[in-house]
Amino acid sequence: MKINSLLTTAILLSFSYITPICAQSEVNAGNSAFVTVESNIDPMDSVEVSLLTCSPHEEIYSLYGHAAIRWHEGDTDLVFNWGMFSFGKPYFVLRFVFGLTDYELGVYPFDHFWPYYEKWGSSITEQVLNLTNDEKRKLQQLLTENMRPENRVYRYNFFYDNCSTKPRDIIEQCIDGQVIYEDRKDFCPTFREMVRECNRNHQWSKFGNDMLLGVKADLATTREEQEFLPMNLMVNVAHAQIVKDGKSRPLVLAERQVVQPGVQLIEPDFFLSPTQMAVLLLIISVIIALYEWKGSRVVKWWDVLLMTLQGLAGVMLTVMIFSQHPTTSLNLNLLLFNPIPLLFIPAVIKGKRSLWNKVHLMMIVLYGLGGILQSYPEGMWIVALCLLLRCRK
């Protein structure tokens, strides 16, 4: 069978990647080897299109899994991967925090894709899609359009536009009919709950996410929102039906595991968990409070230290208000962790702490009330108690 122009394009593109692995590769953005789709497309009987779902592994950028599309036609076996980015680009971490990261569609041979996940102990599940030849042609056109230089790069959004939602959207667009998903009434987690589950083996990563995520992360999610995680998309696709003119067919024709799960090494976090650190902080605060009570004195350096840490954390959270991530703008952690303590440090050093005590107490009370609407990070209630001990004359 003659290789069509889409696959010719993809083969040419595949040679522009030195290390074509999801989330680690340096993309050759200058490549422009695109050609126009032929008007007379060969029959697609031998083409097999699949959704690939890679289970998470323990690298911090891979805790959420990955999804891609596989196009298999005889000796031509390619992966379309919307998870390409480069750590080497200027201010990558800063841009990621502010939701200004650009990801890119990469195309390369399947044999360059699966060994990476096998190496890390991740499994790869392949769901062969039940597409008609016309739907394959439509998908071919969409993929070709996505590969154009002006379309290949997109503004990444962790929850709403990522390497899991991109394959889902392009598959749905090629379907002649409507994709109907099974209603999972017993499954309605929040964004925070799903992120916590993915970070269950990394307590400090989970703590950091909880600090940055605001009220919106505690709202129940829809089926579409849950599919920012590839594993959720895989489950939903497995039970989906294509419906047209009253007739239905399963979206997935066959499912197989092309890479078996292996052994994963979990690198230990800092030896103290966030809760243990909070308890240690509380113990020190209690000891200092007893020392002050017995000696009728004030340990100003402890106040200054706590206010500095509280204020610096507040600066970071305040900056996140301007992030493009949709779940960080309204964050009730700001009620307790904000820049205000930094403004009162000079007064506390001079022994004029009356106004600060009132402001600080109000902040703590509001933070406590905010706990009704937002789930706070592990250990934060203990930290709030520690800070409450400093609200005295």
Side-chain angles (χ1 to χ4, degrees):
M1 177 178 181
K2 180 181 178 181
I3 298 177
N4 58 59
S5 59
L6 166 66
L7 300 183
T8 303
T9 297
I11 292 171
L12 292 172
L13 276 173
S14 69
F15 292 108
S16 69
Y17 298 91
I18 298 174
T19 312
I21 297 300
C22 160
Q24 294 88 48
S25 303
E26 180 76 27
V27 180
N28 183 355
N31 190 294
S32 58
F34 286 89
V35 293
T36 305
V37 179
E38 299 173 5
S39 58
N40 185 19
I41 301 176
D42 292 331
M44 295 282 180
D45 289 338
S46 63
V47 175
E48 186 177 80
V49 180
S50 307
L51 175 67
L52 301 175
T53 303
C54 310
S55 66
H57 63 74
E58 293 305 314
E59 285 294 301
I60 197 69
Y61 49 76
S62 297
L63 294 176
Y64 306 96
H66 184 56
I69 289 178
R70 181 183 184 185
W71 183 284
H72 191 190
E73 179 184 5
D75 294 333
T76 303
D77 195 356
L78 298 167
V79 172
F80 292 79
N81 175 9
W82 282 265
M84 310 293 289
F85 67 83
S86 171
F87 282 119
K89 291 187 176 180
Y91 309 109
F92 176 83
V93 175
L94 190 62
R95 290 177 63 85
F96 186 87
V97 168
F98 282 97
L100 301 174
T101 308
D102 289 331
Y103 274 48
E104 193 163 339
L105 170 62
V107 186
Y108 45 84
F110 178 67
D111 285 344
H112 291 185
F113 181 81
W114 66 263
Y116 171 81
Y117 291 94
E118 183 180 57
K119 169 188 171 183
W120 285 98
S122 295
S123 64
I124 300 180
T125 301
E126 180 177 28
Q127 293 171 301
V128 181
L129 301 178
N130 189 15
L131 304 182
T132 65
N133 285 350
D134 285 339
E135 289 169 341
K136 293 174 186 176
R137 292 187 183 95
K138 179 64 179 296
L139 180 62
Q140 175 195 52
Q141 294 171 359
L142 292 172
L143 290 173
T144 301
E145 186 67 23
N146 266 249
M147 287 191 299
R148 296 186 184 280
E150 64 272 23
N151 299 329
R152 215 162 70 193
V153 178
Y154 70 99
R155 180 53 50 85
Y156 176 85
N157 185 295
F158 181 67
F159 288 129
Y160 295 105
D161 200 7
N162 64 13
C163 63
S164 179
T165 64
K166 283 289 188 182
R168 176 200 64 191
D169 293 346
I170 203 169
I171 289 170
E172 289 182 352
Q173 290 172 37
C174 82
I175 298 296
D176 182 19
Q178 184 178 5
V179 181
I180 303 298
Y181 295 90
E182 186 177 272
D183 188 11
R184 300 171 66 187
K185 294 182 179 179
D186 59 335
F187 186 73
C188 52
T190 66
F191 280 128
R192 191 185 304 276
E193 289 170 342
M194 289 185 282
V195 170
R196 282 177 172 174
E197 175 61 23
C198 292
N199 287 270
R200 61 189 179 277
N201 295 325
H202 300 271
Q203 296 298 310
W204 283 100
S205 175
K206 181 171 69 173
F207 175 85
N209 287 323
D210 273 341
M211 283 293 291
L212 297 178
L213 295 176
V215 173
K216 295 179 181 179
D218 289 298
L219 302 176
T221 55
T222 63
R223 188 266 309 166
E224 291 89 345
E225 291 172 331
Q226 293 159 12
E227 289 172 353
F228 85 95
L229 288 179
M231 302 305 288
N232 289 340
L233 176 62
M234 181 182 72
V235 172
N236 292 339
V237 165
H239 301 94
Q241 296 284 322
I242 300 173
V243 178
K244 182 183 180 182
D245 299 330
K247 298 181 180 179
S248 65
R249 56 188 161 100
L251 176 58
V252 173
L253 187 64
E255 181 172 309
R256 53 191 176 233
Q257 202 160 59
V258 292
V259 173
Q260 298 296 322
V263 177
Q264 296 194 16
L265 299 178
I266 301 176
E267 295 184 6
D269 279 353
F270 183 65
F271 70 98
L272 291 178
S273 70
T275 296
Q276 291 170 331
M277 284 290 291
V279 170
L280 179 61
L281 190 67
L282 180 60
I283 291 173
I284 295 174
S285 294
V286 170
I287 292 173
I288 290 177
L290 291 174
Y291 171 78
E292 291 175 325
W293 176 67
K294 287 186 177 182
S296 298
R297 66 191 73 183
V298 177
V299 181
K300 294 180 182 179
W301 66 265
W302 182 242
D303 286 311
V304 171
L305 176 61
L306 292 179
M307 294 169 72
T308 301
L309 295 175
Q310 190 178 358
L312 291 178
V315 170
M316 178 186 67
L317 294 180
T318 301
V319 169
M320 288 301 296
I321 293 176
F322 304 100
S323 171
Q324 297 300 308
H325 291 298
T327 57
T328 61
S329 56
L330 181 59
N331 190 344
L332 298 186
N333 283 305
L334 273 165
L335 294 172
L336 189 59
F337 299 95
N338 54 65
I340 293 177
L342 299 176
L343 303 177
F344 282 92
I345 288 178
V348 169
I349 292 175
K350 295 177 183 178
K352 300 177 181 179
R353 58 182 304 131
S354 177
L355 179 58
W356 165 240
N357 285 338
K358 294 176 182 178
V359 172
H360 201 198
L361 181 60
M362 182 177 65
M363 289 167 53
I364 295 172
V365 171
L366 291 175
Y367 184 74
L369 294 175
I372 300 173
L373 301 175
Q374 179 176 321
S375 178
Y376 292 141
E378 175 186 346
M380 279 299 101
W381 290 110
I382 301 174
V383 173
L385 178 59
C386 171
L387 296 175
L388 182 63
L389 290 175
R390 307 310 298 168
C391 294
R392 79 239 183 292
K393 295 182 180 180

